[in-house]
């Protein structure tokens, strides 16, 4: 069974490359990922770095030297060397520290960042990944060395920072998350969540239809009929694997589409309701308030205001890293 999942996962990655219907990219876009590099320092002698002060999904990349990764209970999870990276798909208390008998001449350069997700579906997407992923500089990856090239770009920018370096590192770290997802798929490490649903022969067709027909009022019984299951059996399997009932999943996906239209394009609430597949503006507004805790009208931004906000955020990041 595990071997079958691995084969399906590799087929998913390969088919995404070869066809115009990149399912993995569709799902990753729904995450609305925002990565920020917040720590870029040289550590010498005996040292430790506690990750509890940033309670988010995180990554650490060792640019030079070596260190130990400890879990919350003080157990050494692994030793990391130059070029190695570790990624936590979910919040987890941990600590990085110097190896035993380190002296002041033993320098370790660390690059650390965190991942934030604006999607209401982020938890079911992230649940697909193992809590801890370790990438070794010496390992061959399934992308013909692409991940190694990405690491080298990150390390080069860290070693020789220049103008725009903070923004560039943030974008390279975005790519690091995508490679982590690919790696988990290729290695058969996806056991639950929506990515696992895409590997399930009975759920995959339904999930693809949901994502590609957001404006169509789909019914659970129609999705179940398409994959030759009863409504109850389909709903049960969907919830067990994906982590949400199908109705809740479709609702979150539709509302997110409406939210993006309001925030990024400044459309009217009525137009957002149409984009989200709701028959009336009132029904959309009620569902929106129930999920997000605010009215859709409060989300609407003029285009010029949105551009100013994004430039301001980038300026703050560059200042933070300087």
């Amino acid at each position: 069974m595990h071997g079958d999942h691995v084969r399906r996962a590799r087929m998913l990655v390969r088919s995404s490359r070869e066809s115009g219907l990149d399912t993995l990219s569709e799902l990753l876009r729904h995450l609305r990922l925002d990565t920020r590099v917040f720590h870029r320092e040289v550590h010498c002698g005996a040292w430790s770095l506690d990750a509890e002060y940033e309670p988010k999904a995180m990554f650490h990349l060792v640019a030079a030297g070596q260190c130990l990764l400890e879990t919350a209970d003080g157990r050494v999870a692994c030793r990391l060397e130059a070029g190695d990276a570790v990624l936590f798909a979910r919040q987890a208390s941990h600590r990085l520290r110097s190896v035993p008998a380190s002296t002041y001449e033993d320098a370790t350069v660390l690059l650390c960042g965190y991942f934030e997700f604006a999607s209401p579906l982020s938890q079911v997407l992230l649940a697909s990944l193992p809590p801890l992923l370790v990438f070794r500089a010496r390992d061959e990856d399934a992308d013909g060395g692409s991940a190694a090239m990405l690491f080298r770009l990150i390390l080069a920018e860290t070693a020789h920072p220049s103008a725009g370096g903070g923004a560039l590192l943030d974008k390279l770290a975005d790519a690091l998350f995508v490679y982590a997802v690919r790696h988990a798929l290729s290695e058969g490490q996806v056991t639950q969540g929506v990515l696992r649903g895409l590997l399930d022969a009975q759920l995959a067709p339904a999930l693809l239809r949901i994502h590609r027909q957001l404006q169509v009022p789909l019914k659970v019984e129609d999705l179940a009929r398409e994959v030759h299951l009863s409504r109850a059996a389909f709903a049960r399997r969907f919830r067990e694997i994906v982590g949400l009932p199908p109705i809740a999943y479709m609702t979150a996906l539709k509302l997110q589409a409406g939210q993006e239209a309001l925030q990024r394009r400044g459309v009217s609430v009525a137009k957002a309701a149409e984009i989200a597949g709701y028959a009336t503006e009132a029904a959309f507004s009620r569902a929106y308030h129930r999920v997000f805790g605010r009215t859709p009208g409060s989300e609407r931004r003029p285009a010029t205001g949105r551009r100013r906000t994004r430039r301001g955020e980038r300026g703050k990041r560059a200042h933070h890293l300087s």
Side-chain angles (χ1 to χ4, degrees), residues 13-281:
V13 174
R14 186 167 58 251
S15 64
S16 291
R17 292 179 187 145
E18 297 171 353
S19 72
L21 300 175
D22 188 345
T23 308
L24 184 55
S25 288
E26 287 182 35
L27 291 173
L28 291 174
R29 288 190 190 102
H30 284 302
L31 270 176
R32 296 173 65 184
L33 169 65
D34 183 27
T35 307
R36 182 172 181 179
V37 176
F38 68 88
H39 182 86
R40 187 172 55 186
E41 297 289 343
V42 179
H43 299 269
C44 301
W47 58 272
S48 68
L49 179 66
D50 198 321
E52 288 185 351
Y53 62 89
E54 287 291 354
K56 301 177 176 73
M58 302 180 69
F59 75 89
H60 307 287
L61 178 61
V62 182
Q66 55 186 328
C67 64
L68 300 178
L69 171 66
E70 290 184 346
T71 55
D73 58 6
R75 180 178 57 85
V76 175
C78 64
R79 186 186 187 108
L80 301 171
E81 300 180 350
D84 291 348
V86 60
L87 184 147
F88 291 86
R90 295 178 287 283
Q91 176 185 345
S93 296
H94 60 280
R95 180 182 299 106
L96 297 171
R97 67 172 178 83
S98 56
V99 298
S102 294
T103 68
Y104 193 76
E105 296 180 352
D106 299 318
T108 299
V109 181
L110 287 178
L111 184 72
C112 306
Y114 59 76
F115 304 105
E116 290 188 302
F117 311 92
S119 168
L121 292 172
S122 61
Q123 293 308 309
V124 292
L125 284 164
L126 292 174
S128 302
L129 300 175
L132 174 64
L133 285 165
V134 179
F135 302 91
R136 298 292 184 184
R138 61 180 180 271
D139 291 345
E140 291 290 333
D141 62 82
D143 290 294
S146 299
M149 286 190 285
L150 173 63
F151 287 175
R152 285 196 292 271
L153 283 172
I154 295 174
L155 294 175
E157 188 59 37
T158 303
H160 306 288
S162 58
L168 178 58
L169 282 173
D170 286 351
K171 295 305 180 184
L172 290 173
D174 281 354
L176 175 62
F177 183 83
V178 177
Y179 276 113
V181 174
R182 279 189 185 176
H183 176 81
L185 281 166
S186 298
E187 297 301 314
Q189 296 176 315
V190 172
T191 59
Q192 58 182 341
V194 67
L195 289 176
R196 173 65 182 82
L198 286 174
L199 307 180
D200 186 274
Q202 293 180 306
L203 291 187
L207 279 167
L208 295 179
R209 187 177 175 188
I210 289 170
H211 277 261
R212 292 168 184 164
Q213 298 182 8
L214 282 183
Q215 292 180 297
V216 177
L218 298 174
K219 296 182 178 180
V220 176
E221 47 265 39
D222 294 334
L223 296 170
R225 190 180 305 113
E226 182 177 338
V227 295
H228 310 292
L229 289 175
S230 69
R231 187 189 190 284
F234 174 80
R236 181 169 58 252
R237 188 172 187 83
F238 194 102
R239 181 164 190 164
E240 287 173 354
I241 293 178
V242 175
L244 282 177
I247 288 293
Y249 186 87
M250 288 189 284
T251 298
L253 202 60
K254 287 172 177 288
L255 291 175
Q256 182 173 313
Q259 184 184 57
E260 289 176 347
L262 290 164
Q263 292 180 338
R264 300 185 181 187
R265 292 159 49 191
V267 304
S268 66
V269 175
K271 182 62 177 177
E274 179 186 338
I275 290 170
Y278 279 80
T280 68
E281 181 179 334

